């Protein structure tokens, strides 16, 4: 390997890439955390008040809540007042040396800050500019605010919950839209970086939440409306069956998927119900899908008759996928996660002992195990600005004006 390859191999695959992260809450920070986990130098630009997720959940110090800690590892925090002339000038200086700029402000807001694509690319033509926000600019919803809950409702997720058995529409208890859209932003930027290696050109990427999640939901649920005229209704019937849920056993619950023909042949033989293999409802995947409520009803009734341990042992013996039902609490003690070293206990400089986890993918040839602690607000303001060429006088002027905010002292944080 060349010396450059040697250096890259010591870090993650994005070593040497600098990301300016003007995002807050969850969607953007999730995307930029992925960059940081894979070696990029992520500079998180925060307002003097800080990212609002700093204040969510039980923490040991104000502004260092658990959501923030798990979304902002492997980043450096620079606190700037971008509405001030000096803060805006400092931001433009940071952009000069960046490879990627990510934000999740509405288009009108980012334009008011002078950080729209045209303005940023004029400063740095090679930059990858990525905007992650609610709705595409070409439609009637352009410029509207959007959050995970709203997008879940807008793309039909909440209504699907009711169709599948809930008493009323409800949101999935995960920030699924924020995280799915964040993933799309991350892989889009990664592809843009690869493209720039070949062309030398930067580019603009817009990742609208509504359209992104509509594509995710409709990939499963456009179903019969794929065709014109429709060949059937919308909604993948297996996913919507009220019987698609963890099955009750004689002493708890089990998650099992008796799915393909081989699974069913072996399962029916094991429970001495070979007679059902000639039942047209069970004959093949297509027929089972058409009769999915009856099929799941049969499974539910059958599995109630024995213990969870009995069924887990049987399913393992006949090679049918099954797992015990975990709670969040039992997931923390899952033996597989323990064996693969999923959780790590680390010492945060200000927050003390923490349980955390890093990038789930395993790499050979690169180190993606870095777990730099999530920063305090403004922790790296001074060091990053010095790196970017601000001398002592210019830095002092920024700090004195309030356009840049240094790290808050521990005593002030605890006050």
């Amino acid at each position: 390997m060349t010396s450059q390859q040697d250096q890259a191999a010591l870090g993650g695959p994005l070593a040497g890439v600098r990301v300016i992260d003007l995002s807050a809450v969850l969607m953007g920070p999730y995307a930029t955390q992925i960059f940081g986990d894979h070696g990029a130098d992520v500079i998180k630009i925060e307002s003097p008040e800080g990212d609002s997720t700093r204040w969510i959940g039980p923490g040991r110090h104000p502004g260092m809540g658990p959501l923030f800690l798990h979304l902002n590892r492997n980043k450096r925090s620079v606190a700037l007042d971008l509405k001030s002339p000096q803060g805006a000038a400092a931001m433009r200086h940071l952009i000069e040396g960046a490879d990627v700029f990510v934000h999740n402000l509405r288009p009108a807001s980012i334009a008011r800050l002078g950080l729209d694509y045209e303005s940023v690319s004029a400063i740095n033509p090679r930059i990858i500019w990525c905007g992650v926000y609610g709705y595409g600019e070409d439609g009637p919803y352009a410029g509207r605010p959007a959050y995970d809950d709203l997008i879940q409702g807008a793309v039909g997720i909440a209504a699907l919950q009711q169709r599948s058995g809930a008493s009323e529409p409800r949101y999935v208890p995960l920030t699924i839209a924020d995280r799915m859209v964040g993933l799309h932003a991350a892989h889009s930027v990664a592809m843009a970086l690869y493209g720039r290696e070949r062309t030398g050109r930067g580019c603009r990427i817009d990742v609208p939440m509504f359209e992104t999640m509509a594509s995710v939901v409709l990939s499963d649920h456009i179903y019969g409306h794929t065709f014109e005229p429709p060949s059937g209704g919308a909604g993948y019937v297996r996913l919507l069956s009220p019987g698609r849920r963890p099955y009750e056993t004689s002493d708890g619950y089990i998650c099992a998927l008796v799915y393909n023909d081989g699974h069913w042949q072996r399962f029916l033989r094991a429970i001495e119900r070979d007679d059902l293999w000639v039942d047209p409802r069970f004959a093949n995947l297509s027929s089972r899908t058409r009769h999915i409520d009856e099929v799941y009803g049969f499974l539910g009734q059958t599995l109630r008759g024995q213990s969870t341990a009995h069924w887990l042992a049987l399913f393992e013996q006949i090679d049918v996928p099954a797992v015990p039902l975990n709670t969040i609490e039992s997931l923390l003690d899952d033996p597989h996660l323990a064996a693969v070293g999923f959780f790590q206990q680390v010492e945060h400089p200000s927050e003390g002992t923490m349980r955390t986890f890093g990038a789930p993918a395993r790499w050979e040839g690169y180190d993606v195990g870095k777990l730099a602690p999530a920063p305090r607000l403004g922790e790296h303001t001074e060091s990053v600005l010095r790196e970017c060429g601000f001398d002592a006088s210019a830095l002092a002027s920024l700090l004195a004006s309030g356009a840049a905010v240094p790290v808050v002292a521990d005593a002030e944080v605890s006050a």
Side-chain angles (χ1 to χ4, degrees):
M1 291 193 295
T2 67
S3 59
Q4 185 178 14
Q5 288 171 324
D6 282 329
Q7 184 178 9
L10 293 175
L14 293 180
V17 172
R18 174 165 284 188
V19 178
I20 303 299
D21 175 15
L22 184 61
S23 69
V25 190
L26 204 151
M27 178 172 58
Y30 184 60
T32 56
Q33 178 179 270
I34 294 170
F35 303 147
D37 285 350
H38 293 85
D41 177 18
V42 179
I43 299 174
K44 181 179 180 67
I45 307 299
E46 299 189 69
S47 71
E49 296 76 33
D51 188 330
S52 61
T53 56
R54 286 183 173 275
W55 313 100
I56 297 175
R60 290 176 175 155
H61 294 97
M64 297 298 281
L67 273 180
F68 180 84
L69 292 171
H70 288 297
L71 282 165
N72 292 283
R73 63 175 179 260
N74 295 328
K75 300 180 186 181
R76 299 194 283 172
S77 172
V78 172
L80 293 175
D81 178 2
L82 298 180
K83 295 179 182 178
S84 72
Q86 285 180 288
M91 181 66 159
R92 290 192 293 271
H93 200 63
L94 291 172
I95 286 169
E96 289 176 5
D99 297 286
V100 177
F101 175 78
V102 177
H103 78 89
N104 64 350
L105 297 174
R106 284 185 270 175
S109 298
I110 201 72
R112 282 196 297 271
L113 291 173
L115 296 172
D116 52 288
Y117 174 67
E118 290 72 22
S119 300
V120 169
S121 63
I123 300 169
N124 181 349
R126 283 175 49 83
I127 204 160
I128 309 299
W129 184 100
C130 181
V132 192
Y133 45 83
Y135 306 92
E137 283 294 278
D138 301 326
Y141 303 159
R144 292 185 181 181
Y147 289 89
D148 186 281
D149 291 3
L150 303 184
I151 296 300
Q152 285 197 40
V155 300
I157 292 174
L160 288 169
Q161 292 283 86
Q162 184 176 32
R163 280 188 63 182
S164 63
S167 61
E168 58 187 1
R170 63 169 299 154
Y171 305 127
V172 175
L174 294 169
T175 49
I176 190 169
D178 280 341
R179 293 183 188 274
M180 284 294 296
V181 177
L183 283 170
H184 276 263
H187 73 234
S188 296
V189 168
M191 287 186 280
L193 286 167
Y194 177 73
R196 193 184 68 178
E197 287 299 301
R198 294 182 295 117
T199 67
R201 296 194 305 269
C203 69
R204 170 178 179 161
I205 304 169
D206 294 87
V207 188
M209 294 180 75
F210 182 53
E211 291 95 313
T212 301
M213 287 305 296
S215 74
V216 170
V217 171
L218 291 175
S219 293
D220 282 329
H221 291 292
I222 194 171
Y223 215 55
H225 284 254
T226 299
F227 305 99
E228 292 291 348
S231 61
Y236 180 8
V237 293
R238 189 185 77 81
L239 301 186
L240 292 172
S241 173
R244 182 182 176 254
R245 61 178 64 208
Y247 297 107
E248 187 177 1
T249 66
S250 64
D251 62 352
Y253 288 88
I254 189 172
C255 306
L257 187 59
V258 189
Y259 185 70
N260 62 37
D261 290 353
H263 293 160
W264 276 100
Q265 287 176 333
R266 296 192 296 274
F267 177 64
L268 293 175
R269 186 177 304 118
I271 64 170
E272 300 180 348
R273 289 300 309 270
D274 291 288
D275 57 297
L276 288 177
W277 191 239
V278 297
D279 185 324
R281 297 172 299 173
F282 291 82
N284 53 54
L285 180 60
S286 177
S287 183
R288 289 191 297 272
T289 302
R290 290 195 303 273
H291 299 93
I292 194 65
D293 288 345
E294 296 165 83
V295 168
Y296 278 157
F298 166 76
L299 272 174
Q301 182 180 15
T302 302
L303 297 185
R304 286 191 197 98
Q306 298 285 349
S307 68
T308 299
H310 170 87
W311 291 119
L312 285 172
L314 177 67
F315 285 137
E316 183 174 6
Q317 179 185 346
I318 64 176
D319 195 24
V320 168
V323 296
L325 175 67
N326 267 333
T327 63
I328 297 299
E329 292 77 11
S330 63
L331 180 63
L332 297 176
D333 296 319
D334 187 275
H336 179 85
L337 294 182
V340 301
F342 179 83
F343 292 109
Q344 296 186 43
Q345 186 167 295
V346 299
E347 290 297 319
H348 190 284
S350 64
E351 306 312 300
T353 305
M354 286 177 47
R355 174 161 39 189
T356 190
F357 41 89
R362 300 292 183 93
W363 289 68
E364 291 190 20
Y366 290 100
D367 179 9
V368 296
K370 181 182 73 169
L371 284 175
R376 291 177 292 167
L377 177 60
E379 181 174 342
H380 305 96
T381 297
E382 296 179 69
S383 59
V384 167
L385 292 176
R386 279 195 294 267
E387 284 176 21
C388 293
F390 284 78
D391 61 22
S393 174
L395 184 55
S397 175
L398 270 174
L399 296 172
S401 71
V405 179
V407 65
V408 178
D410 288 339
E412 296 177 65
V413 171
S414 301

